[in-house]
Amino acid sequence: MRSFTYNAQPCRVVFGSGTTAAIADEVARLERARVLLLGSPQLVDVVAAVQNSLGSLVVARFDDAAMHTPTEVTARALEIAKAHAVDCIVSVGGGSTTGLSKALAARAGYDQVIVPTTYAGSEVTPVLGETEDGVKTTRSSAEILPEVVVYDVDLTLGLPADLTLTSAINSLAHAVEALYSPEANPVIDDMALQAISGITRALPVVMDNLGDRDARAELLQAAWLAGACLASVGMGLHHKLCHTLGGSFDLPHAATHTAMLPHTMAYNAPAAPVAMARIAEAMRVPDAAGGVFDLVSTLGGPVSIVELGFARSDIDRAAELATAKPYPNPRELTRDGIAALLADACAGRRPGGGARFPRPDLDRMTRTVLASFDATPDPRLHQLMTGLVRHAHEFVTTHDVTDEEWTFAIDFLTRTGQISNDTRQEFVLLSDTLGISSMVDILTNSRVANQTASAVLGPFYVEGPPAKEWAADLAAGLPGAPMWAQIAVTDPAGAPIAGAVVDVWQSNKDGFYDVQLPDLDGPVLRGRFRTDADGRIAFWSILPHEYPIPDDGPVGQMLAAVARHPFRAPHVHFMISAPGYRRLVTQLFPRGGPYLDSDTVFAVKDPLIVDIPAQDDPPPDGRTVGGCWHLLDYVFHLAPDTNVPDNYSEITLGSAT
């Protein structure tokens, strides 16, 4: 059992398009009236629009927020706030303006309305990182957490590609470290995994088209979730090291997170294998650290901290600073270990070596193929085709299918088609032995109330079987233990259904159906009956016997390759139709027969296992059998068909497909 503690962080979130129009209402909701507006020179138009919407609520404005929240900048802003009797901060921008807003709130208790324009995620955290005398320190308190965050997807549409990428990876780091934090819990785990999936899925789409509003929305929402993770659990090596590099070596915040994340993940991977496996699964890549490196490098992001201004000669000093004070981390922190990590980050080496996994290329191909079906006129066909593409592409990528393996698969399917004909349906066998036929059967029929359980049709049904009368002998002299079948067909309440069409077919004692025996003269062990006024039919046959499906073709080769047997449990097939009722396709299995628990086509269901006891009494129709015989006595229930057309008058029997 997993024990944990979870503290929710209360913060009001307004998310959507055009939500900046609600900022004034949010200030009023907080019962505040004197706003200090924080902006930046890079966002002149955006900040001007917000200021215009706030009108007279804005009593002061400050546009000089800086990276890593220097305390001297905070002091200047605080003087302005006090001089204008400010009671609320509205911050528009990225992590720098958000950090300044938090610093002011921590010092003077101001309410905050944060309007992010990047994917930093810090806007929903009670964490503040400040830099003084070249050292960056962090603290956490309830006063630091903003009261309101207004996410407006429209504000991210103009975010340049480089900032889009680095701020998104910065938020990804929050979710990654949350999964191996000592304070991790199931709530945060789920949020982190959803954030990782959303960021790594949406970021390449946004980088392909910076104006894609839907992808921007997904990315912004994922960044919010990642920030919420940071708000609830402690961070480890990655954040400590990035704060060291930013505060003491003046490296850019988001870009440093981007270049460092693959290497800090690789360092912690041996001590957090479960978390790394979950991250890789969420990213849909073989390896978590390598997958992040590939994502960054493929999209043109920084992979070396040297290109960000870090000098290799500072590795030892940075390692010393990063290990000066103990803090929670999955793997023990050593100066030599951190120095080696920084050396890899300087060189921009891919963690684990090897070639990149082309996840963005694969996803781009999937999007292109899916788009090719956009003009499909039939909505259901569109749903099926795009669903097939998604699942097939995901199978190929998840299992890293090679050219040789796919060529073999194509050849297998080709041979499956070539061996199929009117009397041998190898594709049906393939569907059956993979359990697909039974899955479709379950989906189609298991939700029907008060109907006898269904089972797969199988490959040996023949349309238009010969008509048979009461007490007909389907075996026509073939060897086997005689079996008298007396069958009733009723509605769910037990009322007999007269005139129902009942098709019956089974194999001979040796496991062959008549269509497999070219020397036979006409159909045997199959027939079509119509129920009498009491809803009943009766016939003679033979006790069913287990048999192997045809295993001399591709399906048999597949079963042999995976060490599966080809045998079917003994059974008799039935297909029953009547006007106004759902057609029933099913099988009956003698209790105690072999392979009931390992039927190779997965057709056995407990309600279909029946007693067919041996009898010493004279047969019901006076037939001489020369020994014992077996009795199959069974009642089938048909459910009403709620989709029957008004002009329904004839039974249409499906073909074996």
Side-chain angles (χ1 to χ4, degrees):
M1 182 185 71
R2 180 181 182 184
S3 299
F4 61 88
T5 300
Y6 171 63
N7 288 317
Q9 299 290 345
C11 178
R12 177 175 168 84
V13 170
V14 179
F15 190 102
S17 173
T19 50
T20 52
I23 296 174
D25 291 339
E26 293 301 321
V27 172
R29 182 178 169 277
L30 294 171
E31 299 182 350
R32 298 294 179 257
R34 300 184 64 81
V35 170
L36 169 62
L37 178 61
L38 302 181
S40 67
Q42 295 82 11
L43 296 169
V44 174
D45 293 341
V46 172
V47 178
V50 172
Q51 184 169 354
N52 183 61
S53 69
L54 287 170
S56 61
L57 291 173
V58 177
V59 297
R61 177 169 166 178
F62 187 85
D63 288 342
D64 294 332
M67 283 194 309
H68 310 301
T69 318
T71 54
E72 61 270 21
V73 174
T74 302
R76 286 195 288 118
L78 185 59
E79 288 180 4
I80 295 174
K82 289 181 176 179
H84 290 82
V86 164
D87 61 9
C88 182
I89 307 292
V90 173
S91 168
V92 182
S96 297
T97 52
T98 298
L100 177 57
S101 178
K102 289 180 173 182
L104 293 171
R107 285 162 173 77
Y110 298 125
D111 285 347
Q112 305 173 71
V113 178
I114 306 295
V115 186
T117 59
T118 70
Y119 306 107
S122 60
E123 63 274 358
V124 289
T125 76
V127 179
L128 170 62
E130 297 181 285
T131 304
E132 185 171 12
D133 298 329
V135 177
K136 188 170 185 177
T137 58
T138 60
R139 55 178 164 144
S140 178
S141 71
E143 294 77 17
I144 294 172
L145 181 69
E147 280 68 31
V148 181
V149 178
V150 176
Y151 289 106
D152 191 336
V153 176
D154 297 349
L155 299 186
T156 67
L157 295 175
L159 192 65
D162 58 340
L163 293 180
T164 295
L165 173 59
T166 55
S167 67
I169 301 299
N170 180 20
S171 66
L172 178 66
H174 307 331
V176 165
E177 288 222 302
L179 284 168
Y180 52 67
S181 168
E183 296 93 358
N185 59 73
V187 175
I188 295 302
D189 285 0
D190 288 348
M191 293 172 63
L193 291 171
Q194 186 173 342
I196 291 168
S197 177
I199 291 167
T200 56
R201 181 176 55 247
L203 181 57
V205 181
V206 171
M207 295 297 285
D208 277 349
N209 178 7
L210 295 174
D212 189 323
R213 190 184 302 271
D214 290 338
R216 287 279 191 184
E218 182 178 12
L219 191 56
L220 189 59
Q221 183 172 314
W224 161 34
L225 293 176
C229 294
L230 177 64
S232 298
V233 299
M235 298 288 108
L237 166 65
H238 175 78
H239 282 77
K240 175 66 175 179
L241 195 50
C242 287
H243 287 169
T244 298
L245 295 173
S248 301
F249 299 91
D250 200 31
L251 267 61
H253 179 77
T256 302
H257 277 273
T258 301
M260 289 299 300
L261 183 56
H263 303 288
T264 55
M265 292 172 66
Y267 182 90
N268 278 329
V274 174
M276 292 301 168
R278 298 177 78 185
I279 293 167
E281 182 179 6
M283 294 183 65
R284 298 169 298 136
V285 297
D287 171 70
V292 173
F293 183 91
D294 294 341
L295 179 66
V296 173
S297 61
T298 300
L299 298 179
V303 295
S304 165
I305 55 176
V306 170
E307 64 183 282
L308 303 179
F310 185 80
R312 288 183 172 86
S313 58
D314 286 330
I315 287 178
D316 289 340
R317 179 170 168 247
E320 181 179 358
L321 290 172
T323 56
K325 295 180 180 180
Y327 52 89
N329 191 68
R331 183 178 173 186
E332 181 184 2
L333 301 173
T334 65
R335 287 183 59 183
D336 289 345
I338 300 305
L341 183 162
L342 288 168
D344 286 339
C346 285
R349 281 189 284 265
R350 184 183 191 273
R356 75 176 180 93
F357 187 79
R359 184 77 256 177
D361 301 334
L362 295 166
D363 287 345
R364 190 176 296 110
M365 175 57 70
T366 298
R367 292 196 300 272
T368 300
V369 177
L370 290 174
S372 73
F373 294 98
D374 285 350
T376 306
D378 185 329
R380 177 60 173 169
L381 179 60
H382 179 269
Q383 180 187 40
L384 292 173
M385 292 305 300
T386 54
L388 175 63
V389 167
R390 287 192 186 93
H391 286 291
H393 284 209
E394 193 62 29
F395 175 87
V396 169
T397 55
T398 299
H399 299 284
D400 207 353
V401 175
T402 65
D403 278 339
E404 292 78 9
E405 290 167 336
W406 188 241
T407 298
F408 179 86
I410 294 295
D411 177 68
F412 174 84
L413 293 174
T414 300
R415 290 184 288 114
T416 300
Q418 289 171 339
I419 202 173
S420 298
N421 53 44
D422 291 343
T423 59
R424 175 167 184 163
Q425 293 291 340
E426 192 79 359
F427 266 115
V428 176
L429 280 181
L430 180 60
S431 173
D432 290 351
T433 55
L434 294 179
I436 297 173
S437 299
S438 288
M439 291 289 283
V440 173
D441 167 52
I442 292 170
L443 288 169
T444 303
N445 299 301
S446 66
R447 290 171 282 192
V448 179
N450 303 316
Q451 178 171 280
T452 298
S454 59
V456 298
L457 180 67
F460 297 113
Y461 175 75
V462 175
E463 195 168 358
K468 299 292 182 179
E469 300 296 331
W470 181 278
D473 184 0
L474 299 186
L478 292 178
M483 180 184 72
W484 171 256
Q486 48 191 40
I487 304 297
V489 180
T490 77
D491 68 8
I497 300 176
V501 175
V502 182
D503 287 359
V504 183
W505 68 104
Q506 69 175 95
S507 71
N508 67 10
K509 185 179 179 181
D510 298 321
F512 293 102
Y513 288 80
D514 54 1
V515 293
Q516 298 174 282
L517 300 171
D519 294 336
L520 283 180
D521 184 15
V524 292
L525 290 172
R526 71 174 68 239
R528 171 172 291 177
F529 298 86
R530 285 191 179 270
T531 57
D532 62 15
D534 296 322
R536 304 185 66 84
I537 66 168
F539 60 88
W540 281 100
S541 187
I542 57 175
L543 190 68
H545 202 275
E546 72 276 10
Y547 65 86
I549 64 169
D551 59 358
D552 57 341
V555 173
Q557 294 167 11
M558 180 270 291
L559 293 177
V562 298
R564 276 178 54 187
H565 72 73
F567 280 91
R568 290 230 50 203
H571 60 278
V572 181
H573 292 271
F574 292 87
M575 178 190 289
I576 308 174
S577 302
Y581 294 90
R582 289 177 57 91
R583 187 181 68 178
L584 173 65
V585 178
T586 191
Q587 303 171 30
L588 296 181
F589 301 86
R591 194 179 309 280
Y595 304 109
L596 288 174
D597 58 351
S598 64
D599 182 59
T600 198
V601 305
F602 311 100
V604 179
K605 299 177 182 178
D606 287 344
L608 300 178
I609 300 175
V610 299
D611 292 314
I612 309 181
Q615 307 287 323
D616 292 325
D617 298 335
D621 68 340
R623 179 181 178 183
T624 301
V625 296
C628 72
W629 52 282
H630 293 261
L631 174 63
L632 171 59
D633 189 359
Y634 196 80
V635 178
F636 290 103
H637 300 288
L638 301 188
D641 188 347
T642 57
N643 297 313
V644 176
D646 293 338
N647 61 349
Y648 185 91
S649 60
E650 278 299 317
I651 304 300
T652 302
L653 297 175
S655 60
T657 56

